[in-house]
Structure formats: C-alpha cells, structure tokens
Amino acid sequence: MQGYSVKLDGFEGPLDLLLHLINQYEIDIYDIPVAVITEQYMHYIHTMQQLELNIASEYLVMAATLLAMKSQLLLPNQATLDEESAMEEEDPRDELMNRLIEYRKFKEAAEDLKEKELSADKLYTRPPAPLPDKPELKPLEPGEVTVYDMVAALQRVFRRREWSQPLDTKIQRAEIMLEDRMGEVLQSVKARKEGVDFFELFPERTKQHIVVTFMAILELMKKQQIFCKQKRHFDELIVFEMGMHDGSTV
C-alpha cells in the first residue's frame, strides 16, 4: 500500500459535502441546524482520515468554521444588550447560508450545461448497420448511490469492527495487493446473483484489509465490473455484478 493514493472525484469541496448533508437530511437551507451538520461533517472528515487520504486544508477550515459557529450559538445571550443591539446582531449562519445558496446555483447551472452537452453529443447521423447478435450493455447513468453513501457505508464498517473487537493495528509484514483483493471481491460478487451485502465484503478486521477492500470496490466500480444499489436512504448497500441486475453506479 505504500505510495498508493486515491482521489475521490465526488469530493469537490467542503460546500459540496455540506449540500449533500443538507439534501440527505432534508434540511431547510435557510435554517441550518449547525449542531447536526457539524456532527455529520466531522464523521466524514474522520472517515477520510482513516482512509489515509490527504485531506485538503479547505475541509479542515470548514470544520473549524462549523465548530466556531456551533460554539457561538451555544453561548447564552448577554442580558446587558439592549433591544437595538440585539436586533443588529447577525446570525453566524447567514454567511454560510448565502455561500451555500450561491454555490448551489452554480452547481445546478453546471448540471444543466452538462445535460445540454450530453444531448448535443447524441445528435449525429450514421448509415444503417446490422443489429448485433447480442444486445450491448447500455452505459449506466448516475443514480441515487453517491460517493458519500459509499463513505457512510465504510463508516458503519469501521464502527461495527470497533464494537466487535478493536481494529488490529499491529504492523504485519504481509502486504495485501490491490489487484488480488479486486479479484477476490469480484469472485464473491459473481457467486451471489442476488447481490452481496457491502459489509460482507469486509471479513477481516485489520485496518489495512478494510482500506484495501474499499479501494478494490471503488476500482471495480470504476471499471464497470460491479455496481451498488440501495433501496432507500440509510439502507445497507448491495453490491451486484455488472449486467446481472439493473441499477446505478457512483
């Protein structure tokens, strides 16, 4: 694992992560519950650190900002403030709310431009061609399972391992090759046409094995050999072999 690094494209920045949390928990962006958002944000940061990913400084700055807001909102109001001063006091969430609204507008505009680009790419002509003997697999469209759902599932893996037995942190000489683990994961998924529970792909309790397994799953999804589904938000992820079940990928 030494020298191997992975960049998750879904993590576009701290504002993108905050928008994901607001949408996932169906929170009104004009009334952000800082305590809830801060707790969930810190969970994601902690999981990213356990994966030994290089956390960008902007994520840590946002974490510090959220903690400062939470502390400020928890402080009691000063009894000595007169009514006029109290009215002039700004809500510390206002600046964050305005930034999120502006960011969401640009993100939605970017999505609209991307859809128009995809639509334009489909406008072409070609001469008639014979139908293939076997239907070709259609490319999967992005669905409900996002990279944040994957990280949340990994959080549950770490928590379950800690509840059962502490993670084995002893240094072992035997290295786990990513390619070998990819083959093992793919073989497990192929053996179960009804899909494999995400948690079942982590039989070992060592941190090295958990991290390599997670990287193997991401690589297989990138190669479109497997995909994940979940019936509803917060449900366990189910891993399928590509072509065995209709679904979506990250």
Side-chain angles (χ1 to χ4, degrees), residues 8-155:
L8 303 180
D9 295 335
F11 289 102
E12 298 176 4
L15 290 180
D16 192 67
L17 175 53
L18 289 179
L19 272 182
H20 168 77
L21 293 174
I22 289 173
N23 294 332
Q24 185 180 44
Y25 290 91
E26 299 180 355
I27 295 171
D28 184 1
I29 197 172
Y30 294 98
D31 186 21
I32 302 173
V34 177
V36 176
I37 292 296
T38 302
E39 181 180 359
Q40 297 302 321
Y41 187 91
M42 295 304 297
H43 281 323
Y44 279 95
I45 293 293
H46 180 67
T47 302
M48 292 163 69
Q49 289 174 333
Q50 285 185 304
L51 280 174
E52 299 179 358
L53 299 178
N54 292 327
I55 309 297
S57 59
E58 55 184 340
Y59 281 95
L60 301 179
V61 170
M62 180 60 72
T65 303
L66 290 173
L67 290 173
M69 288 183 183
K70 181 178 179 181
S71 302
Q72 187 173 353
L73 292 173
L74 290 176
L75 290 175
N77 294 328
Q78 298 292 334
T80 57
L81 290 176
D82 55 24
E83 184 177 353
E84 182 179 355
S85 299
M87 292 178 61
E88 294 176 355
E89 185 178 359
E90 295 183 357
D91 191 325
R93 298 172 297 178
D94 288 346
E95 181 181 356
L96 177 62
M97 178 191 70
N98 293 331
R99 290 176 60 189
L100 284 171
I101 293 174
E102 183 178 5
Y103 179 78
R104 186 170 64 179
K105 289 180 180 178
F106 280 100
K107 192 173 180 66
E108 291 174 352
E111 291 294 333
D112 292 339
L113 292 175
K114 183 178 180 181
E115 290 180 3
K116 291 181 179 179
E117 180 184 6
L118 292 176
S119 299
D121 290 341
K122 296 178 181 178
L123 299 177
Y124 64 94
T125 59
R126 54 170 295 179
L131 295 176
D133 296 334
K134 295 182 179 180
E136 298 181 356
L137 290 176
K138 296 181 179 179
L140 296 177
E141 298 293 337
E144 294 183 357
V145 178
T146 67
V147 68
Y148 300 114
D149 296 316
M150 299 288 293
V151 175
L154 186 64
Q155 288 179 10

Side-chain angles (χ1 to χ4, degrees), residues 61-239:
V61 170
M62 180 60 72
T65 303
L66 290 173
L67 290 173
M69 288 183 183
K70 181 178 179 181
S71 302
Q72 187 173 353
L73 292 173
L74 290 176
L75 290 175
N77 294 328
Q78 298 292 334
T80 57
L81 290 176
D82 55 24
E83 184 177 353
E84 182 179 355
S85 299
M87 292 178 61
E88 294 176 355
E89 185 178 359
E90 295 183 357
D91 191 325
R93 298 172 297 178
D94 288 346
E95 181 181 356
L96 177 62
M97 178 191 70
N98 293 331
R99 290 176 60 189
L100 284 171
I101 293 174
E102 183 178 5
Y103 179 78
R104 186 170 64 179
K105 289 180 180 178
F106 280 100
K107 192 173 180 66
E108 291 174 352
E111 291 294 333
D112 292 339
L113 292 175
K114 183 178 180 181
E115 290 180 3
K116 291 181 179 179
E117 180 184 6
L118 292 176
S119 299
D121 290 341
K122 296 178 181 178
L123 299 177
Y124 64 94
T125 59
R126 54 170 295 179
L131 295 176
D133 296 334
K134 295 182 179 180
E136 298 181 356
L137 290 176
K138 296 181 179 179
L140 296 177
E141 298 293 337
E144 294 183 357
V145 178
T146 67
V147 68
Y148 300 114
D149 296 316
M150 299 288 293
V151 175
L154 186 64
Q155 288 179 10
R156 292 192 289 271
V157 171
F158 279 121
R159 286 200 297 267
R160 290 183 184 181
R161 293 305 177 195
E162 291 172 357
W163 290 339
S164 58
Q165 287 181 336
L167 289 175
D168 186 359
T169 57
K170 294 182 180 179
I171 299 177
Q172 301 181 7
R173 296 178 61 87
E175 293 186 358
I176 305 174
M177 301 300 296
L178 179 63
E179 293 78 8
D180 295 340
R181 191 67 190 118
M182 289 172 60
E184 294 171 358
V185 170
L186 185 59
Q187 184 177 2
S188 299
V189 175
K190 284 184 175 181
R192 301 270 291 277
K193 294 183 178 181
E194 70 278 8
V196 180
D197 185 90
F198 183 84
F199 183 71
E200 294 181 17
L201 297 175
F202 298 84
E204 301 291 336
R205 65 185 183 89
T206 63
K207 179 180 178 181
Q208 182 187 25
H209 192 280
I210 292 176
V211 172
V212 175
T213 299
F214 186 68
M215 299 305 178
I217 294 173
L218 293 178
E219 289 293 334
L220 289 171
M221 294 179 71
K222 181 180 179 181
K223 294 178 180 293
Q224 293 192 351
Q225 293 181 279
I226 64 174
F227 66 91
C228 294
K229 289 194 68 175
Q230 79 181 149
K231 295 180 180 179
R232 295 178 300 274
H233 282 308
F234 310 110
D235 282 357
E236 292 292 344
L237 297 182
I238 307 297
V239 185

